[in-house]
Amino acid sequence: MAGKVGEEHWGAQTGYRAKRLARFVALADEILKTKNEVRILDMGGNRDYWLDLEPIWKGRNFKFVLINLQAERLDDARFEAHQGDCRAMPQYADNAFDIVHSNSVLEHVGKWADMRAFAGEIRRLAPRYFVQTPNYWFPMEPHFRSLFFHWLPEPMRVAKALRRPLGAFPKAPTVDDAQRFIEDSNLLDARRFMHLFPDGKLERERAYGFTKSLIAIR
C-alpha cells in the first residue's frame, strides 16, 4: 500500500509540475517572438527536471544554465551546470539572462535573510522570472508528506522525525538529524512571499479547494 501511495503522490506532483512548466513556457514563447534564443537561468534546478518534462518545451531554442551548490556533470549542449550560491552570484551581470526559473527551491535556501538575498538575485538577473514555492497554509506538508506537520510546535516535529520515516526523510537516528530534517525547509505564506517579489504577479496553484503553491511571475 505504501508503494501505491508513493506512486500516486509522484504522479500528482508530476502533473502539477507539468502545468507549471506549461505556464513558464508560455512566458518564454513571448521572448521567442523577438529573439532567436531564450537564455534560462534555473536556480537550484537540475537537468532531470527539464528532461522529464521535455515534451512541453521540445523544439524551442532554449539554453539552460543550472546553478547549484554542487554542479552536475552534463553531456547535453543545451545545458550548462555551474557550482554557485544562488544567494549571491556576482559572476553574472544584471539581466544576464532572459528569464529566471525556480521551482520548489526558495523554501530551502535558509531563513528570511537568505530568502531575501535569493529573491534579490532572481529579480536582478533577468527582466522576467517564474518562482514557485509551497504554501504554508496548505494542510499537507510537501516534504514530510504529513498533514499539519509544519503547523506543529518544533519539539513535536522533532519527536515525529525520530519515531518513523516521513516523506522524503528516513527515520532520524539522532536529535541532531531530526533537527536538521525539520530545518531543511521554511514555508512561506502569500504575504511574505510577495514581499520578496513586489514587482511580480501572484498566481495560486490550487488542490482540494486550498492554495497548494504560490507562484510569482514577472
Side-chain angles (χ1 to χ4, degrees):
M1 183 66 180
K4 179 65 174 176
V5 171
E7 291 170 8
E8 290 176 351
H9 173 82
W10 174 252
Q13 287 299 95
T14 300
Y16 286 118
R17 288 176 186 153
K19 290 179 181 179
R20 282 177 218 145
L21 191 59
R23 181 72 177 90
F24 172 82
V25 169
L27 296 176
D29 281 344
E30 294 179 13
I31 299 171
L32 284 174
K33 292 177 182 178
T34 58
K35 299 187 68 174
N36 294 326
E37 175 185 283
V38 178
R39 282 179 52 78
I40 299 168
L41 176 63
D42 189 349
M43 295 174 67
N46 58 62
R47 182 180 61 168
D48 286 347
Y49 167 87
W50 294 99
L51 294 185
D52 287 344
L53 300 171
E54 187 172 1
I56 298 172
W57 59 271
K58 188 175 182 179
R60 293 170 171 85
N61 194 10
F62 288 172
K63 299 296 182 183
F64 303 93
V65 175
L66 313 175
I67 303 294
N68 278 287
L69 293 177
Q70 293 185 340
E72 58 182 315
R73 300 183 66 178
L74 301 175
D75 57 0
D76 189 327
R78 298 171 298 179
F79 295 87
E80 296 178 25
H82 301 287
Q83 183 178 15
D85 184 340
C86 291
R87 295 168 297 182
M89 296 194 291
Q91 66 270 37
Y92 297 114
D94 294 359
N95 293 322
F97 300 89
D98 295 306
I99 188 167
V100 176
H101 176 276
S102 177
N103 185 79
S104 294
V105 176
L106 175 62
E107 69 271 19
H108 297 294
V109 301
K111 296 294 186 179
W112 183 248
D114 302 296
M115 293 181 182
R116 283 183 61 89
F118 181 82
E121 287 295 78
I122 288 175
R123 296 172 60 206
R124 179 181 73 83
L125 289 168
R128 292 173 177 260
Y129 57 69
F130 183 99
V131 183
Q132 178 271 347
T133 194
N135 178 29
Y136 177 84
W137 292 113
F138 189 67
M140 177 69 74
E141 205 291 333
H143 309 96
F144 293 90
R145 298 174 199 162
S146 180
L147 282 169
F148 318 129
F149 180 84
H150 50 308
W151 298 343
L152 297 174
E154 191 169 289
M156 292 182 67
R157 285 182 281 154
V158 168
K160 283 180 174 289
L162 287 166
R163 192 174 304 133
R164 62 183 177 87
L166 291 167
F169 296 94
K171 178 182 176 182
T174 69
V175 170
D176 283 341
D177 292 304
Q179 194 70 39
R180 178 167 53 85
F181 291 172
I182 69 170
E183 291 176 359
D184 178 72
S185 60
N186 294 282
L187 303 186
L188 293 171
D189 62 358
R191 175 179 292 180
R192 291 182 295 159
F193 180 58
M194 293 311 296
H195 183 80
L196 296 174
F197 300 99
D199 50 3
K201 174 186 175 184
L202 175 65
E203 293 192 4
R204 299 173 183 266
E205 180 181 85
R206 297 189 179 275
Y208 309 109
F210 296 93
T211 297
K212 177 182 181 294
S213 293
L214 305 166
I215 303 170
I217 295 175
R218 182 178 72 184

Short mmCIF file of all heavy atoms in Angstrom, two decimals, residues 69-102:
data_model
loop_
_atom_site.label_atom_id
_atom_site.label_comp_id
_atom_site.label_asym_id
_atom_site.label_seq_id
_atom_site.Cartn_x
_atom_site.Cartn_y
_atom_site.Cartn_z
N LEU A 69 24.72 24.21 -5.46
CA LEU A 69 25.88 24.18 -4.59
C LEU A 69 26.91 23.18 -5.10
O LEU A 69 28.12 23.35 -4.87
CB LEU A 69 25.47 23.85 -3.15
CG LEU A 69 24.61 24.91 -2.46
CD1 LEU A 69 24.19 24.43 -1.07
CD2 LEU A 69 25.37 26.23 -2.34
N GLN A 70 26.44 22.14 -5.79
CA GLN A 70 27.33 21.20 -6.46
C GLN A 70 26.86 21.06 -7.90
O GLN A 70 25.69 20.73 -8.13
CB GLN A 70 27.34 19.84 -5.77
CG GLN A 70 27.96 19.86 -4.38
CD GLN A 70 28.06 18.48 -3.76
OE1 GLN A 70 27.36 17.56 -4.16
NE2 GLN A 70 28.93 18.34 -2.78
N ALA A 71 27.76 21.27 -8.84
CA ALA A 71 27.39 21.20 -10.25
C ALA A 71 27.33 19.74 -10.71
O ALA A 71 28.19 18.93 -10.38
CB ALA A 71 28.39 21.97 -11.10
N GLU A 72 26.28 19.43 -11.48
CA GLU A 72 26.18 18.08 -12.04
C GLU A 72 26.98 18.00 -13.34
O GLU A 72 27.21 19.00 -14.02
CB GLU A 72 24.71 17.71 -12.29
CG GLU A 72 23.96 18.66 -13.22
CD GLU A 72 22.49 18.26 -13.38
OE1 GLU A 72 22.21 17.06 -13.56
OE2 GLU A 72 21.64 19.16 -13.31
N ARG A 73 27.41 16.79 -13.69
CA ARG A 73 28.15 16.58 -14.92
C ARG A 73 27.15 16.36 -16.05
O ARG A 73 26.23 15.55 -15.94
CB ARG A 73 29.08 15.38 -14.78
CG ARG A 73 30.11 15.55 -13.67
CD ARG A 73 31.07 14.39 -13.59
NE ARG A 73 31.90 14.29 -14.78
CZ ARG A 73 32.85 13.36 -14.94
NH1 ARG A 73 33.06 12.45 -14.01
NH2 ARG A 73 33.58 13.34 -16.05
N LEU A 74 27.36 17.06 -17.16
CA LEU A 74 26.40 17.04 -18.26
C LEU A 74 27.08 16.69 -19.58
O LEU A 74 28.26 16.99 -19.77
CB LEU A 74 25.72 18.42 -18.38
CG LEU A 74 24.96 18.92 -17.16
CD1 LEU A 74 24.46 20.34 -17.41
CD2 LEU A 74 23.79 18.01 -16.82
N ASP A 75 26.30 16.11 -20.47
CA ASP A 75 26.78 15.82 -21.82
C ASP A 75 25.74 16.26 -22.85
O ASP A 75 25.56 15.64 -23.88
CB ASP A 75 27.08 14.33 -21.98
CG ASP A 75 25.88 13.45 -21.66
OD1 ASP A 75 24.82 13.99 -21.31
OD2 ASP A 75 26.00 12.21 -21.75
N ASP A 76 25.05 17.34 -22.53
CA ASP A 76 23.97 17.86 -23.37
C ASP A 76 24.24 19.34 -23.62
O ASP A 76 24.29 20.14 -22.68
CB ASP A 76 22.63 17.67 -22.66
CG ASP A 76 21.43 17.97 -23.53
OD1 ASP A 76 21.53 18.86 -24.39
OD2 ASP A 76 20.37 17.32 -23.34
N ALA A 77 24.46 19.71 -24.87
CA ALA A 77 24.86 21.07 -25.21
C ALA A 77 23.80 22.11 -24.86
O ALA A 77 24.10 23.30 -24.80
CB ALA A 77 25.19 21.16 -26.70
N ARG A 78 22.58 21.69 -24.64
CA ARG A 78 21.52 22.63 -24.28
C ARG A 78 21.65 23.11 -22.84
O ARG A 78 21.02 24.10 -22.45
CB ARG A 78 20.15 21.98 -24.49
CG ARG A 78 19.87 21.59 -25.93
CD ARG A 78 18.58 20.77 -26.02
NE ARG A 78 18.67 19.51 -25.28
CZ ARG A 78 17.69 18.61 -25.19
NH1 ARG A 78 16.53 18.86 -25.78
NH2 ARG A 78 17.86 17.50 -24.50
N PHE A 79 22.45 22.42 -22.04
CA PHE A 79 22.55 22.71 -20.61
C PHE A 79 23.98 23.06 -20.21
O PHE A 79 24.93 22.44 -20.68
CB PHE A 79 22.11 21.49 -19.80
CG PHE A 79 20.67 21.11 -19.96
CD1 PHE A 79 20.28 20.26 -20.99
CD2 PHE A 79 19.71 21.59 -19.09
CE1 PHE A 79 18.95 19.90 -21.14
CE2 PHE A 79 18.38 21.24 -19.24
CZ PHE A 79 18.00 20.40 -20.27
N GLU A 80 24.09 24.05 -19.33
CA GLU A 80 25.32 24.32 -18.61
C GLU A 80 25.03 24.16 -17.13
O GLU A 80 23.97 24.57 -16.65
CB GLU A 80 25.80 25.76 -18.84
CG GLU A 80 26.19 26.12 -20.24
CD GLU A 80 26.58 27.59 -20.34
OE1 GLU A 80 26.99 28.17 -19.30
OE2 GLU A 80 26.44 28.16 -21.42
N ALA A 81 25.95 23.57 -16.40
CA ALA A 81 25.79 23.41 -14.96
C ALA A 81 26.99 24.02 -14.26
O ALA A 81 28.14 23.73 -14.60
CB ALA A 81 25.65 21.94 -14.60
N HIS A 82 26.73 24.88 -13.27
CA HIS A 82 27.79 25.57 -12.55
C HIS A 82 27.55 25.49 -11.05
O HIS A 82 26.41 25.50 -10.59
CB HIS A 82 27.88 27.03 -12.98
CG HIS A 82 28.15 27.22 -14.43
ND1 HIS A 82 29.36 26.96 -15.01
CD2 HIS A 82 27.32 27.62 -15.44
CE1 HIS A 82 29.31 27.20 -16.31
NE2 HIS A 82 28.07 27.61 -16.60
N GLN A 83 28.64 25.43 -10.32
CA GLN A 83 28.57 25.49 -8.87
C GLN A 83 28.41 26.94 -8.46
O GLN A 83 29.09 27.83 -8.99
CB GLN A 83 29.82 24.88 -8.25
CG GLN A 83 29.80 24.85 -6.74
CD GLN A 83 31.06 24.20 -6.18
OE1 GLN A 83 32.05 24.03 -6.89
NE2 GLN A 83 31.03 23.84 -4.91
N GLY A 84 27.53 27.18 -7.52
CA GLY A 84 27.35 28.55 -7.07
C GLY A 84 26.34 28.64 -5.95
O GLY A 84 25.59 27.69 -5.68
N ASP A 85 26.34 29.76 -5.28
CA ASP A 85 25.39 30.06 -4.21
C ASP A 85 24.37 31.03 -4.78
O ASP A 85 24.71 32.18 -5.08
CB ASP A 85 26.12 30.67 -3.01
CG ASP A 85 25.21 30.91 -1.82
OD1 ASP A 85 23.97 30.98 -2.00
OD2 ASP A 85 25.74 31.06 -0.70
N CYS A 86 23.14 30.58 -4.91
CA CYS A 86 22.12 31.41 -5.56
C CYS A 86 21.76 32.66 -4.76
O CYS A 86 21.05 33.52 -5.26
CB CYS A 86 20.86 30.59 -5.83
SG CYS A 86 21.07 29.31 -7.09
N ARG A 87 22.25 32.77 -3.55
CA ARG A 87 22.00 33.97 -2.77
C ARG A 87 22.93 35.12 -3.16
O ARG A 87 22.65 36.28 -2.82
CB ARG A 87 22.16 33.66 -1.28
CG ARG A 87 21.13 32.69 -0.73
CD ARG A 87 21.50 32.21 0.65
NE ARG A 87 22.76 31.47 0.63
CZ ARG A 87 23.31 30.91 1.71
NH1 ARG A 87 22.71 31.01 2.88
NH2 ARG A 87 24.46 30.26 1.61
N ALA A 88 24.01 34.79 -3.87
CA ALA A 88 24.97 35.82 -4.29
C ALA A 88 25.72 35.30 -5.51
O ALA A 88 26.51 34.37 -5.40
CB ALA A 88 25.95 36.15 -3.17
N MET A 89 25.45 35.91 -6.67
CA MET A 89 26.09 35.47 -7.91
C MET A 89 26.69 36.65 -8.65
O MET A 89 26.23 37.04 -9.73
CB MET A 89 25.08 34.71 -8.77
CG MET A 89 24.60 33.42 -8.12
SD MET A 89 23.74 32.32 -9.24
CE MET A 89 22.27 33.24 -9.55
N PRO A 90 27.73 37.25 -8.08
CA PRO A 90 28.34 38.42 -8.71
C PRO A 90 29.00 38.12 -10.05
O PRO A 90 29.35 39.04 -10.79
CB PRO A 90 29.37 38.88 -7.67
CG PRO A 90 29.69 37.64 -6.90
CD PRO A 90 28.41 36.88 -6.83
N GLN A 91 29.17 36.83 -10.36
CA GLN A 91 29.78 36.46 -11.64
C GLN A 91 28.88 36.79 -12.83
O GLN A 91 29.34 36.78 -13.98
CB GLN A 91 30.13 34.97 -11.66
CG GLN A 91 28.95 34.00 -11.61
CD GLN A 91 28.53 33.60 -10.21
OE1 GLN A 91 28.58 34.42 -9.30
NE2 GLN A 91 28.14 32.34 -10.06
N TYR A 92 27.60 37.09 -12.56
CA TYR A 92 26.66 37.41 -13.62
C TYR A 92 26.20 38.87 -13.51
O TYR A 92 25.86 39.35 -12.42
CB TYR A 92 25.43 36.50 -13.57
CG TYR A 92 25.76 35.05 -13.81
CD1 TYR A 92 25.59 34.10 -12.81
CD2 TYR A 92 26.23 34.61 -15.05
CE1 TYR A 92 25.90 32.76 -13.01
CE2 TYR A 92 26.55 33.29 -15.27
CZ TYR A 92 26.38 32.36 -14.25
OH TYR A 92 26.69 31.03 -14.47
N ALA A 93 26.19 39.55 -14.64
CA ALA A 93 25.76 40.95 -14.69
C ALA A 93 24.24 41.05 -14.58
O ALA A 93 23.51 40.06 -14.76
CB ALA A 93 26.23 41.59 -15.99
N ASP A 94 23.75 42.23 -14.28
CA ASP A 94 22.31 42.48 -14.28
C ASP A 94 21.71 42.08 -15.63
O ASP A 94 22.29 42.37 -16.69
CB ASP A 94 22.02 43.95 -14.02
CG ASP A 94 22.44 44.40 -12.63
OD1 ASP A 94 22.94 43.57 -11.85
OD2 ASP A 94 22.27 45.60 -12.32
N ASN A 95 20.56 41.42 -15.58
CA ASN A 95 19.84 41.00 -16.79
C ASN A 95 20.72 40.19 -17.75
O ASN A 95 20.62 40.29 -18.97
CB ASN A 95 19.26 42.21 -17.52
CG ASN A 95 18.16 42.87 -16.73
OD1 ASN A 95 17.35 42.20 -16.08
ND2 ASN A 95 18.12 44.19 -16.75
N ALA A 96 21.56 39.32 -17.16
CA ALA A 96 22.42 38.44 -17.97
C ALA A 96 21.60 37.35 -18.66
O ALA A 96 22.09 36.73 -19.62
CB ALA A 96 23.50 37.82 -17.10
N PHE A 97 20.39 37.11 -18.19
CA PHE A 97 19.53 36.06 -18.74
C PHE A 97 18.21 36.66 -19.19
O PHE A 97 17.87 37.80 -18.84
CB PHE A 97 19.31 34.97 -17.70
CG PHE A 97 20.59 34.33 -17.23
CD1 PHE A 97 21.30 34.84 -16.15
CD2 PHE A 97 21.10 33.22 -17.89
CE1 PHE A 97 22.48 34.28 -15.74
CE2 PHE A 97 22.29 32.64 -17.49
CZ PHE A 97 22.98 33.17 -16.41
N ASP A 98 17.48 35.89 -19.96
CA ASP A 98 16.16 36.35 -20.42
C ASP A 98 15.07 36.10 -19.38
O ASP A 98 14.13 36.88 -19.25
CB ASP A 98 15.79 35.65 -21.73
CG ASP A 98 16.72 36.01 -22.86
OD1 ASP A 98 16.90 37.21 -23.10
OD2 ASP A 98 17.28 35.10 -23.50
N ILE A 99 15.22 34.99 -18.64
CA ILE A 99 14.20 34.64 -17.65
C ILE A 99 14.82 33.71 -16.62
O ILE A 99 15.70 32.91 -16.92
CB ILE A 99 12.98 33.97 -18.33
CG1 ILE A 99 11.82 33.76 -17.34
CG2 ILE A 99 13.36 32.67 -19.02
CD1 ILE A 99 10.50 33.40 -18.01
N VAL A 100 14.40 33.89 -15.37
CA VAL A 100 14.84 33.02 -14.27
C VAL A 100 13.71 32.08 -13.90
O VAL A 100 12.55 32.49 -13.80
CB VAL A 100 15.26 33.84 -13.04
CG1 VAL A 100 15.62 32.91 -11.88
CG2 VAL A 100 16.44 34.74 -13.36
N HIS A 101 14.07 30.82 -13.69
CA HIS A 101 13.12 29.79 -13.27
C HIS A 101 13.57 29.24 -11.92
O HIS A 101 14.74 28.99 -11.70
CB HIS A 101 13.08 28.67 -14.30
CG HIS A 101 12.20 27.51 -13.93
ND1 HIS A 101 12.63 26.48 -13.11
CD2 HIS A 101 10.93 27.21 -14.27
CE1 HIS A 101 11.66 25.61 -12.97
NE2 HIS A 101 10.61 26.02 -13.65
N SER A 102 12.61 29.07 -11.00
CA SER A 102 12.91 28.44 -9.72
C SER A 102 11.69 27.67 -9.26
O SER A 102 10.61 28.25 -9.07
CB SER A 102 13.29 29.50 -8.67
OG SER A 102 13.50 28.89 -7.42
#
